[in-house]
Amino acid sequence: MAELWTISESSFNPERIRHNETVFTQGNGYLGTRGAFEEFYPDEQRATFVHGVFDDLPVVFTELVNFPDWLEVEIFLDGERFSLADGEILAFERHLDLHTGLLTRTVRWRSPQGRTTWLEFQRFASLANVHLACLQVILTPENYSGGVELRSGLDAGADNLGFKHWDWLGQGFDGQTCWLKLRTHTTEIEAGMATSIAVTADEDIETHVWDVHGHPTLAFNTQVSVGHDVRLEKKASIFTGRDCADPLASARAELAHLPEHAWDELWQAHTRCWKEEWQRCDVLIEGDDEAQLAIRFNLYHLLIAAPRSEERVSIGAKTLSGYGYRGHAFWDTEIFMLPFFTYTRPEIARNLLSYRFHNLPGARDKATTNGFSGAQYPWESAGDGREVTPTWVPNPSDRANMIRIWTGDIEIHISADIVYAVWQYWLVSQDDEFLINRGAEIILETARFWASRLEWNNENRRYELTDVIGPDEYHDHVDNNAYTNHLARWHLRKAHWLGGWLKEQNPQAARQLFNRLGLVEETFSHWQQVADHIYCPLDVETGLIEQFDGYFKRKDVDLAALEPRTESVQNLLGIESANDTQVLKQPDVVMLMYLLPEEIDPAVAQKNYDYYTARTDLTYGSSLGPSIQAIMATRLGSPEQAYENFMRAARADLEDVRGNAGDGIHGASAGGLWQTVVFGFGGLQVNVDGWKLAPKLPKHWKRLAFKFAWRGEEVSIDLGGKEGENT
Ligand code: BGC
């Protein structure tokens, strides 16, 4: 069933160019390249990002740097330049094979002067050797014979939407290879890139070296006759100073040992790796082709963004597929994307959590700067774990005015979210070594933060958290956000438990760690005592958990009355007015019920689900909302709502529901989709004692099969359409 592995486009639509650049992004966990055209197109956003290569930028502090483009191939057909913006497109198809990450495009093009040519483009970013990428172009004249010129190289002029990060250090040629040496302007990360180009044709080929400063290029000229092919193969290699001491030497050496035509050899190794990846991660859905393709598409995007051999990078909210959020990582990684890796690729989950471990110094600085103890993780994080949330951004609807962004100051739940992910990883993997040597420090240092951040309210005899932002960002500067308070309580209790566990498991390691962090017996009992007095509101009469103090007094808006609409409630009403209502950008209390089910009575869960669902902007609010909503709907027995929200998440990027998929893949939505399938419809539940299933498949699904790694062993689940059936 090749079509359930293939994302296709059967005609060229210039209106969707940005969106499709995101959809057709390729990568290998080291680099990501957007689906731009080799020959260029006006207004495109061609970009290649490499994990961890950030450089400073005003307003957003730092951003992933766009690398010199390895795709460029300019094609001249008997003197006419091939471009989809000119001439006539007689046929166009593009396919992304999710099983292998191969992108293929075929075009039948008539030039302005009537020359018709078949062109086929293929490319992949090697998963077997993440420093390599490869493309080929085959062109065949249909109604003319004449000269063909192909120009290709590397362009140091690559910028980030107009902002230049690269300083040129050198360039050169070596036979049919050209190379570039560069360095990022402020962070001074060196990059070495090399590319080898081989052209084959029936007639002789003349090769010219164009040593243009900053743009080493090779130009190939040959003659071609009707029905005959000209083929170009381009291999590119990228290394940075983050990988090795001499990135340029490594990039050149990588290509030097490959034959002139290496496509087949590289392809074999690459597809073997993808095959293994899917054997561990694929999810099979029978009876719903759209869902089947969508889940694979979303998993593909998580897999191409996942660092396999690096533990000092995370996955940004938009993966490596666009400029959105400038490559910064949020709670999206730990709460939404990480479970997929924890359950199918624990090695990757460990890398991602290690990123937070290595960035503890940044989190400690943040806590100290804010007058707290321990470690406070940044809301947005990039290369070194400093807070990089912009504080002021231009107002898109009124560029003369700036908007103050408060999330970096007061959206503090992320410290508990990260700990939640550490805990889940340990629960599923039983990787004691990680917990003892890395996870524990994360958990304990952030517990110290909570203990110092919580405020004792003497009048009410309880601990409170005032002036925060919860997951629902339509409301800022609120007191006692239920999600944040509950998570802080859960976190302190886990830290208390961990203290005992560590002493039991490895007394020596425990002693050393506690000494280093200055933790004594009383610290742990104090945490327990604080946790027991954190204010976690519940109105016993209504059974409702108030999202924050005074939420119920805000204006109630009938969301249905705002229909039909094509934008978020915040856009419609304005930031201040939306803040005054009860409308939510994303489920907040529902999210809490999802993460900590043991803390919420099922009868209470239903009431809160009903209350908050009616007030959540699920279509145009946050892309993080629908998947969680779908899981809770499944658990609470609302199958229609579950499926509707599942499909909202499934279509987020494929259908560009919010109109911003051009900025990059919504990684959290992709991870949430996997959770909906496995924890929602599949009904997988885990706790310290083991796992169990309570499946509730959508009625029309005939089969759902997936695998997960449980404490070192692979478990295969294969569910028939009927409830509870596990064959
Ligand atoms: C959401 C946050 C999310 C961020 C990055 C915001 O719009 O409200 O929850 O972390 O986007 O995806």
Side-chain angles (χ1 to χ4, degrees), residues 99 106 168 176 209 213 248 387 575 673 690:
H99 198 256
T106 48
W168 179 92
Q176 309 221 138
V209 163
H213 181 77
L248 178 62
E387 178 60 76
I575 296 177
L673 197 71

Side-chain angles (χ1 to χ4, degrees), residues 65-331:
V65 176
N66 178 21
F67 269 65
D69 175 39
W70 64 274
L71 300 180
E72 61 159 45
V73 182
E74 285 190 274
I75 301 167
F76 296 84
L77 303 162
D78 210 13
E80 291 185 277
R81 185 172 185 274
F82 167 62
S83 165
L84 293 183
D86 303 319
E88 210 180 325
I89 302 168
L90 304 173
F92 176 98
E93 276 186 37
R94 188 152 52 152
H95 304 285
L96 174 65
D97 178 3
L98 303 169
H99 198 256
T100 58
L102 179 72
L103 185 61
T104 304
R105 177 168 58 118
T106 48
V107 183
R108 186 165 171 250
W109 182 72
R110 187 187 291 139
S111 70
Q113 291 177 26
R115 294 180 182 85
T116 302
T117 312
W118 269 104
L119 298 112
E120 182 176 331
F121 301 82
Q122 290 198 314
R123 63 193 201 222
F124 64 93
S126 173
L127 196 60
N129 179 343
V130 295
H131 298 282
L132 282 178
C134 203
L135 69 80
Q136 60 177 1
V137 184
I138 302 169
L139 60 91
T140 322
E142 212 177 273
N143 62 353
Y144 66 97
S145 298
V148 164
E149 181 170 327
L150 300 167
R151 297 177 193 162
S152 187
L154 295 168
D155 186 1
D159 59 30
N160 279 44
L161 308 175
F163 196 93
K164 274 189 69 65
H165 288 289
W166 291 114
D167 290 336
W168 179 92
L169 297 182
Q171 69 183 55
F173 294 84
D174 184 4
Q176 309 221 138
T177 299
C178 61
W179 51 263
L180 261 183
K181 186 174 172 179
L182 309 156
R183 190 170 52 213
T184 55
H185 196 62
T186 326
T187 46
E188 300 189 344
I189 302 173
E190 220 178 82
M193 286 183 76
T195 185
S196 293
I197 301 158
V199 175
T200 39
D202 292 349
E203 302 296 326
D204 289 347
I205 298 160
E206 260 181 54
T207 307
H208 302 275
V209 163
W210 290 9
D211 198 3
V212 181
H213 181 77
H215 197 164
T217 303
L218 290 159
F220 302 87
N221 288 81
T222 187
Q223 293 293 315
V224 66
S225 42
V226 179
H228 290 253
D229 295 344
V230 175
R231 178 173 181 268
L232 172 142
E233 178 182 303
K234 180 174 185 181
K235 304 179 282 287
S237 171
I238 304 184
F239 281 82
T240 79
R242 300 184 71 259
D243 315 315
C244 57
D246 188 345
L248 178 62
S250 303
R252 293 177 69 186
E254 201 64 61
L255 296 183
H257 75 253
L258 287 175
E260 194 185 0
H261 295 280
W263 176 281
D264 290 343
E265 176 186 326
L266 297 175
W267 175 248
Q268 298 297 333
H270 166 77
T271 51
R272 263 199 304 278
C273 293
W274 265 111
K275 199 170 165 199
E276 280 170 27
E277 223 40 270
W278 284 114
Q279 268 165 3
R280 296 171 72 173
C281 303
D282 190 24
V283 169
L284 200 90
I285 297 171
E286 284 180 13
D288 189 340
D289 289 356
E290 188 184 357
Q292 172 67 87
L293 190 58
I295 185 83
R296 285 184 175 142
F297 169 75
N298 282 282
L299 298 186
Y300 161 84
H301 275 286
L302 290 176
L303 287 168
I304 63 168
R308 287 168 181 74
S309 53
E310 253 260 38
E311 49 175 53
R312 287 179 185 268
V313 298
S314 186
I315 304 179
K318 301 285 182 179
T319 68
L320 290 175
S321 59
Y323 287 103
Y325 291 122
R326 309 294 170 151
H328 299 180
F330 298 65
W331 71 317

